[in-house]
């Protein structure tokens, strides 16, 4: 008897019908991964705990105050007590005892740099598809070309390679004890070329302008990593006169100069964030602000109520000013008291970028994004400041900073 119209198909035909239909059924779309965030890392030099508005300072830092207030202020954040150790841990994610950089800093004539077999943050971000730029202070070695920023993962570099210099002439002067003579030389690079066209231009302004130019010209097909390492507020104490006028009541000359330098840097960070908004990057940006160590109280800095200063392992030397500002934070307008160390930025930023740390040596840093963004407990329960039986503090309080070479 034949099948009438409207009768269901025989059971054996159902699997065949389903197989024939499958090629024509639209697939279910997987949830699209959000675009990788732009990463902006701003590093101040020698900014003290007591030198920002939210810690009660009389120095005016309205832009930093506002960014921190709208983001997450890091109130239990630690750095190293000196430039090179902090910067090496920032970019390598590894303690300085593992990179041979535990003995103070890299001095101008010292044949040393971050070991070339260490994989640094910009290299990992390039692997994750980022465009990488650095502006400002390097201080991780320059005795071989292989040590330079453009050989360590940065697409472009604009700044100076040593620990300090004149803010206007960009010269670095070094006392050569064996010959009892002081020699000065220009320390300013655009890429790997010596840059001679920037005399009498204040470095904080130069670095901010270059950073803004990079933001303005960035093609958003790729995410941006910008590392802006200010010279401010490291010695020598130099700043345009107009920035000292609001602090005419400060009798101490060093503190008055220093206050003006902090305010100018505050303005620079504000101009940077304004540019990120103006060019449409801010809504997908994570901005990290950090100092490299505590303030140098012999050069105008203030770490009150913390004891100690730069060069010391007291809290005033290693407890750092820092915050994260971003529309991508899940919690905003809060203080974090999670334990965080400067070595934690590498794994945190690489994982935010969707990259991996498989190519690195064993890391000492932790991914602390959830601790910052969501208020979860920090995965870090301890930190190591240093192990260095060779260390001698030859920088007592009455020693002249100038003869120490500003570092």
């Amino acid at each position: 008897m034949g099948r009438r119209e409207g009768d269901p198909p025989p059971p054996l035909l159902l699997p065949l019908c389903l197989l024939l239909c499958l090629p024509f059924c639209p697939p279910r779309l997987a949830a699209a991964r959000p675009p990788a965030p732009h990463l902006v890392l701003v590093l101040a030099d020698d900014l003290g705990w007591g030198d920002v508005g939210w810690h009660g300072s009389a120095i005016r830092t309205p832009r930093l105050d506002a960014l921190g207030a709208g983001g997450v202020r890091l109130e239990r954040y630690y750095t190293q007590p000196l430039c090179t150790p902090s910067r090496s841990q920032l970019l390598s994610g590894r303690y300085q005892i593992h990179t041979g950089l535990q003995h103070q800093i890299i001095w101008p004539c010292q044949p040393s740099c971050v070991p070339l077999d260490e994989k640094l943050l910009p290299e990992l971000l390039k692997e994750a598809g980022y465009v990488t730029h650095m502006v400002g202070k390097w201080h991780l070695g320059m005795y071989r070309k292989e040590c330079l920023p453009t050989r360590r993962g940065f697409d472009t570099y604009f700044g100076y390679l040593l620990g300090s210099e004149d803010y206007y002439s960009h010269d670095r002067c070094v006392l050569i004890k064996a010959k009892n003579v002081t020699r000065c030389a220009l320390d300013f690079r655009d890429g790997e070329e010596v840059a001679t066209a920037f005399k009498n231009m204040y470095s904080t302004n130069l670095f901010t302008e270059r950073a803004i130019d990079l933001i303005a010209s960035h093609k958003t097909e790729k995410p941006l990593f910008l590392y802006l390492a200010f010279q401010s507020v490291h010695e020598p104490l130099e700043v345009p006169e107009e920035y000292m006028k609001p602090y005419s009541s400060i009798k101490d000359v060093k503190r008055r100069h220093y206050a003006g330098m902090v305010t100018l840097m505050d303005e620079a960070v504000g101009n940077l964030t304004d540019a990120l908004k103006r060019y449409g990057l801010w809504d997908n940006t994570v901005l990290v602000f950090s100092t490299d160590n505590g303030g140098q109280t012999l050069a105008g800095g203030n770490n009150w109520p913390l004891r100690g200063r730069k060069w010391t392992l007291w809290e005033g030397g290693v407890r750092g000013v820092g915050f994260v500002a971003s529309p991508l934070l899940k919690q905003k307008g809060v203080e974090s008291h999670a334990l965080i160390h400067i070595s934690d930025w590498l794994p945190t930023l690489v994982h935010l970028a969707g990259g991996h740390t498989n190519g690195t040596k064993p890391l000492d840093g932790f991914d602390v994004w959830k601790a910052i963004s969501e208020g979860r407990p920090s995965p870090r329960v301890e930190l190591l400041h240093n192990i260095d039986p060779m260390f001698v503090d030859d920088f007592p309080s009455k020693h002249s900073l100038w003869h120490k070479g500003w570092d």
Side-chain angles (χ1 to χ4, degrees), residues 115-252:
L116 299 176
D117 60 352
E118 296 285 345
K119 205 161 192 178
L120 303 186
L121 175 59
E123 297 175 88
L124 296 168
L125 292 176
K126 276 181 73 72
E127 290 177 356
Y130 276 68
V131 175
T132 59
H133 301 290
M134 181 179 174
V135 177
K137 174 176 171 176
W138 177 238
H139 207 191
L140 291 177
M142 40 70 76
Y143 81 107
R144 295 169 57 183
K145 282 196 172 182
E146 290 80 6
C147 300
L148 298 178
T150 45
R151 309 289 179 101
R152 306 304 303 266
F154 287 105
D155 294 321
T156 70
Y157 174 68
F158 181 72
Y160 63 106
L161 299 173
L162 298 176
S164 60
E165 62 179 14
D166 187 277
Y167 278 77
Y168 291 97
S169 70
H170 315 299
D171 286 346
R172 173 62 193 264
C173 298
V174 177
L175 172 64
I176 302 174
K177 292 181 180 178
K179 296 186 176 183
N180 194 29
V181 62
T182 297
R183 290 182 177 164
C184 300
L186 177 66
D187 179 17
F188 213 68
R189 305 292 176 108
D190 196 344
E192 296 183 7
E193 300 300 317
V194 176
T196 59
F198 301 98
K199 290 278 186 181
N200 299 318
M201 298 181 187
Y202 193 73
S203 71
T204 306
N205 295 334
L206 282 175
F207 295 153
T208 306
E209 289 166 10
R210 177 57 64 96
I212 290 173
D213 287 345
L214 291 168
I215 291 167
S217 61
H218 180 69
K219 294 179 172 57
T220 54
E221 291 82 5
K222 285 188 172 184
L224 168 71
F225 172 54
L226 173 60
Y227 174 35
L228 174 56
F230 281 119
Q231 182 175 355
S232 301
V233 288
H234 195 295
E235 219 190 7
L237 300 177
E238 298 173 327
V239 68
E241 187 72 28
E242 63 192 275
Y243 289 91
M244 288 193 293
K245 288 180 179 177
Y247 303 106
S248 58
S249 62
I250 297 178
K251 294 180 180 180
D252 183 271

Side-chain angles (χ1 to χ4, degrees), residues 41-56:
L41 178 54
V42 179
L43 192 67
D45 200 341
D46 292 1
L47 182 65
W49 182 265
D51 292 327
V52 291
W54 70 89
H55 287 159

Side-chain angles (χ1 to χ4, degrees), residues 76-89:
R76 201 174 169 218
Y77 170 59
Y78 287 86
T79 63
Q80 295 304 112
L82 288 170
C83 304
T84 299
S86 279
R87 291 161 199 270
S88 68
Q89 296 191 42

Side-chain angles (χ1 to χ4, degrees), residues 134-398:
M134 181 179 174
V135 177
K137 174 176 171 176
W138 177 238
H139 207 191
L140 291 177
M142 40 70 76
Y143 81 107
R144 295 169 57 183
K145 282 196 172 182
E146 290 80 6
C147 300
L148 298 178
T150 45
R151 309 289 179 101
R152 306 304 303 266
F154 287 105
D155 294 321
T156 70
Y157 174 68
F158 181 72
Y160 63 106
L161 299 173
L162 298 176
S164 60
E165 62 179 14
D166 187 277
Y167 278 77
Y168 291 97
S169 70
H170 315 299
D171 286 346
R172 173 62 193 264
C173 298
V174 177
L175 172 64
I176 302 174
K177 292 181 180 178
K179 296 186 176 183
N180 194 29
V181 62
T182 297
R183 290 182 177 164
C184 300
L186 177 66
D187 179 17
F188 213 68
R189 305 292 176 108
D190 196 344
E192 296 183 7
E193 300 300 317
V194 176
T196 59
F198 301 98
K199 290 278 186 181
N200 299 318
M201 298 181 187
Y202 193 73
S203 71
T204 306
N205 295 334
L206 282 175
F207 295 153
T208 306
E209 289 166 10
R210 177 57 64 96
I212 290 173
D213 287 345
L214 291 168
I215 291 167
S217 61
H218 180 69
K219 294 179 172 57
T220 54
E221 291 82 5
K222 285 188 172 184
L224 168 71
F225 172 54
L226 173 60
Y227 174 35
L228 174 56
F230 281 119
Q231 182 175 355
S232 301
V233 288
H234 195 295
E235 219 190 7
L237 300 177
E238 298 173 327
V239 68
E241 187 72 28
E242 63 192 275
Y243 289 91
M244 288 193 293
K245 288 180 179 177
Y247 303 106
S248 58
S249 62
I250 297 178
K251 294 180 180 180
D252 183 271
V253 175
K254 289 182 178 180
R255 182 65 175 169
R256 188 160 65 246
H257 277 79
Y258 182 92
M261 294 167 74
V262 173
T263 292
L264 195 156
M265 182 183 66
D266 176 81
E267 179 183 288
V269 175
N271 291 338
L272 179 79
T273 53
D274 288 345
L276 288 166
K277 294 171 183 177
R278 183 164 64 251
Y279 294 105
L281 276 64
W282 178 251
D283 288 344
N284 192 39
T285 291
V286 173
L287 184 146
V288 176
F289 179 87
S290 169
T291 185
D292 65 339
N293 45 248
Q296 178 50 276
T297 57
L298 306 179
N302 180 15
N303 300 307
W304 180 262
L306 306 180
R307 179 183 183 183
R309 53 169 169 78
K310 174 185 178 177
W311 284 82
T312 75
L313 289 173
W314 301 114
E315 288 279 296
V318 296
R319 195 162 178 181
V321 172
F323 63 77
V324 177
S326 173
L328 304 179
L329 289 164
K330 291 188 177 178
Q331 60 169 7
K332 303 180 183 72
V334 299
E335 287 185 357
S336 170
H337 293 271
L339 181 62
I340 296 172
H341 185 247
I342 196 166
S343 63
D344 296 332
W345 293 123
L346 182 144
T348 301
L349 296 180
V350 170
H351 292 154
L352 263 179
H356 60 79
T357 56
N358 298 341
T360 68
K361 293 183 178 182
L363 296 178
D364 298 301
F366 292 85
D367 179 359
V368 293
W369 180 247
K370 289 182 179 179
I372 295 170
S373 179
E374 301 175 24
R376 296 193 190 184
S378 172
R380 177 179 288 282
V381 295
E382 63 183 8
L383 61 88
L384 174 70
H385 289 305
N386 202 12
I387 300 174
D388 185 7
M390 296 173 60
F391 178 76
V392 176
D393 186 357
D394 58 354
F395 195 11
S397 60
K398 292 183 181 180

